[in-house]
Every structure is written in C-alpha cells, then in structure tokens.
Amino acid sequence: MKPIFIAGPCVIEDSNILEQVATELSALRDELGITIYFKASFDKANRTSLSSFRGPGLERGLQMLSDIKSKYALPILTDIHESYQAEAVGKVADVLQIPAFLCRQTDLLVAAAKTGRIVNIKKAQFLSGEDMQYPVEKARNSGATEIWLTERGNTFGYNNLVVDFRNIPTMFRFTPRVVMDCTHCVQRPGAAGGKTGGDRQFIPAMALAAKAFGANGFFFETHPTPDEAKSDGPNMLPLSELGAVIKSLL
C-alpha cells in the first residue's frame, strides 16, 4: 500500500500560518507525487493548563480548514473531542481523528463512524497494540468503512514517552493502514512548566524506524517557527525540514 503523509500545525493559530504550511505541502505533493493530508486542530481541548491557547473553535476553525481545502486541493484531517462535533466536522474533513486519550470513548467513535468519513484512531499512551482491536470494532460496527490506527508512544514513567515499534505490525492485524505519529511520540507531556515539552531532534529517526517496522502512514506536526508556536512547539518539525524527512521515507 502506497504511503500517505499527514502534516500541519498542531492548532489553528491564524490564516497566515495555515497558508504557509499549505503552500509547502501542496508543493511537496506536486514535486513528489504523494498523498498528503493537511492537519490542524480547531480546538485543543486537552491542553495542560486552563490558560493555554486552544484555537478558534468549531465554526471559525472549520471555515478556515474549508478555505485551505478549496484553495490548495489538500484533503483535511482534524480531531474531534466530543461526539456532537462529528457531524459538522464530517462535512469539511476527509478524516476524523480520535485523540489518543479518547480512543476508548464509545460515543465519540460511533459518531465519527456515522459520518462516513475515514476515522483515524490514535492509540492511547496507556494501551498496547493488541488493545486497539476494540476501538476498531466499535467504529467498524458503527458504519466506518475505512479506519486507520496511529502509533504515538506509551507513557514511560512521569513526563516521558517511549515507542514500542512492535505495535505497528501488531495493529496491521486490525486495519490495513497504520500511521506513525513521528512528532507526538517525542513529546515530554507536562514537562515544561504547565505545558508539554519535547525532543524534536529525534523526529527523523522515529520516522525511519517506523518505516522499518512497516508503517504506511507518517504524521508530522510542522510549523514555520516551532519555537514561537502556540501549542506543541518543542515536538514540532520546522517546516523547512519537512521535505527532507519525507524524501528520506520515499
């Protein structure tokens, strides 16, 4: 199965950032002949601190994503945190993503499946690859016809994650598309004084290791200036480096 790529900023900050990223993604698509999904969140409902930036919200965020989709012909992936969001998001996004912490939430999986869109379920930091059989069954039995699973690491003590790459071939037992989240797996959750830290220097190696274990999808949060990003900056890939990393995987 031909690999797919998912990339974009963690959260919708403003139209300018979206345009910069979409311009680069569409250029890479045209140059390399790849399928690449534009990813950004309209609401980060799981920020560490109450004071952290969350995004523009459902209505405005979906309009901004729709504008990117129309202008750049890029398919859209975005996450939902509550079941009521699924119907509206399904009218814009090509892929509805279930956040890792919420992958066991039955109502959320059912609502996403009923939209008829692709459902990407991120494996929780506290689950094994084998455990992902059950979220897949919930979505499939609720009408989803295409389901992806995404590996993003497991909790390793406090404020750290570790990746067991064996989860990738394990999850292929349940779905033909397994994605490696090459940026969230290098997070250090809650380790930066009320926000999440990370080790972005390991992103390229994580991607190549996942390829060695058979991953056929690769997820990168990316930003023109990650150190100035409003969410997940320490584990985002600089936009200027994205092309080289994708080329290494091809």
Side-chain angles (χ1 to χ4, degrees):
M1 182 178 284
K2 189 175 180 180
I4 57 102
F5 299 89
I6 302 160
C10 177
V11 66
I12 298 172
E13 297 180 19
D14 55 51
S15 296
N16 181 51
I17 297 294
L18 297 188
E19 294 269 351
Q20 288 184 63
V21 175
T23 297
E24 177 66 13
L25 298 193
S26 58
L28 288 170
R29 173 198 62 201
D30 296 343
E31 176 190 356
L32 303 174
I34 58 175
T35 298
I36 188 161
Y37 290 78
F38 184 95
K39 183 270 170 185
S41 298
F42 56 83
D43 179 23
K44 298 299 293 184
N46 56 351
R47 296 301 305 275
T48 302
S49 170
L50 182 63
S51 61
S52 296
F53 179 76
R54 288 182 54 166
L58 180 65
E59 185 175 352
R60 176 61 180 148
L62 288 179
Q63 182 59 59
M64 295 169 79
L65 291 173
S66 179
D67 291 345
I68 291 294
K69 184 176 184 177
S70 298
K71 183 173 180 179
Y72 295 93
L74 289 165
I76 299 294
L77 178 148
T78 196
D79 42 357
I80 59 173
H81 288 83
E82 299 188 57
S83 54
Y84 81 86
Q85 298 170 337
E87 183 177 2
V89 173
K91 294 176 181 177
V92 173
D94 301 271
V95 184
L96 273 65
Q97 181 167 276
I98 307 300
F101 283 126
L102 301 178
C103 74
R104 291 178 53 164
Q105 294 297 106
T106 300
D107 290 346
L108 192 63
L109 290 161
V110 170
K114 286 182 176 179
T115 66
R117 296 296 197 173
I118 299 167
V119 180
N120 181 35
I121 310 172
K122 300 187 80 172
K123 182 181 73 61
Q125 299 91 328
F126 48 85
L127 295 181
S128 69
E130 288 89 347
D131 293 328
M132 295 309 292
Q133 172 185 347
Y134 305 104
V136 169
E137 287 178 353
K138 289 179 182 180
R140 185 170 289 136
N141 292 340
S142 301
T145 56
E146 184 169 354
I147 302 165
W148 304 347
L149 289 174
T150 294
E151 168 62 40
R152 53 122 333 124
N154 282 82
T155 301
F156 185 64
Y158 298 115
N159 306 125
N160 207 354
L161 299 171
V162 67
V163 177
D164 180 353
F165 288 97
R166 296 174 298 179
N167 283 320
I168 294 172
T170 296
M171 291 193 292
F172 273 118
R173 289 159 41 193
F174 314 126
T175 179
R177 176 76 69 191
V178 175
V179 178
M180 181 67 203
D181 185 338
C182 307
T183 45
H184 285 99
C185 71
V186 301
Q187 278 184 333
R188 290 187 179 272
K195 57 185 179 180
T196 290
D199 298 304
R200 72 168 71 101
Q201 68 267 29
F202 297 120
I203 293 169
M206 289 291 189
L208 288 169
K211 179 184 177 182
F213 276 84
N216 56 10
F218 300 90
F219 181 115
F220 300 97
E221 284 193 340
T222 186
H223 192 283
T225 52
D227 290 335
E228 299 173 13
K230 295 182 179 181
S231 176
D232 270 4
N235 58 262
M236 277 204 280
L237 188 69
L239 185 61
S240 60
E241 298 177 16
L242 178 64
V245 175
I246 289 179
K247 289 173 184 177
S248 76
L249 296 167
L250 296 173

